[in-house]
Amino acid sequence: ALQGPRSCEALARALDRLTSGSGTIASSSTSLPPSQQFRLETVEEESQEVRVDVLEEMPYMSVLRLRLACELEDHAAFVLRVGTTGEDGFEVVAPPGALINQLAATLLEDAPLVRPAGVHCMDMLRMEAGLPRVGADIVPGKITPVRASLV
């Protein structure tokens, strides 16, 4: 999770270093080997490459695919525009591996803009915003989100 008012800036800066800013290939300072070149694209059947600056106009609850250019689709990460803590932000969902490790390392290069926080910190923000979570605040199977008037 990347949450907060500057989350878009932080993610765009990291992705810009991992792509050429056009959604593919090199970083601005050095050229990445083909095994580490990133591609940002839409998730439609006929996916299209997108520029990093599309993150700013990305609507809430939308998704983009991020993958290493040389890997198959099943190794892709998904960049979701969501806010699980009540703040605007992004979730990056990916299997373990080179892609998520490289993205995490690149994000952390931007300290103090990006700082790691534990799950308990994220839960505190979520609770302060009044956002209940099924399984933690709502007993699953007994009370549905509809019955609790959450939708």
Side-chain angles (χ1 to χ4, degrees):
L2 189 61
Q3 305 289 305
R6 296 183 67 193
S7 59
C8 185
E9 175 188 352
L11 185 58
R13 286 170 62 167
L15 291 177
D16 199 46
R17 283 195 296 269
L18 295 169
T19 69
S20 64
S22 64
T24 58
I25 318 303
S27 97
S28 55
S29 57
T30 61
S31 184
L32 294 170
S35 64
Q36 295 178 336
Q37 295 171 354
F38 280 64
R39 176 183 164 114
L40 187 62
E41 59 193 22
T42 60
V43 294
E44 292 117 16
E45 193 171 317
E46 296 290 323
S47 65
Q48 298 175 354
E49 294 179 49
V50 294
R51 296 175 47 89
V52 171
D53 57 4
V54 77
L55 293 173
E56 287 191 31
E57 286 115 34
M58 199 172 164
Y60 187 70
M61 299 296 284
S62 60
V63 63
L64 290 172
R65 182 183 301 122
L66 177 67
R67 66 181 181 90
L68 290 169
C70 68
E71 289 193 9
L72 301 173
E73 229 173 88
D74 60 341
H75 292 278
F78 294 95
V79 178
L80 308 156
R81 184 68 182 255
V82 295
T84 57
T85 62
E87 299 254 354
D88 185 27
F90 296 88
E91 294 278 339
V92 179
V93 180
L99 185 145
I100 196 68
N101 293 340
Q102 183 64 33
L103 179 59
T106 305
L107 278 166
L108 290 173
E109 289 173 6
D110 262 341
L113 180 62
V114 175
R115 286 179 267 166
V119 69
H120 296 294
C121 293
M122 301 293 277
D123 264 351
M124 290 301 295
L125 287 171
R126 180 187 55 75
M127 286 186 273
E128 287 173 358
L131 300 172
R133 188 178 70 188
V134 174
D137 305 315
I138 301 171
V139 180
K142 292 190 177 204
I143 299 173
T144 66
V146 172
R147 189 169 179 193
S149 299
L150 296 176
V151 288

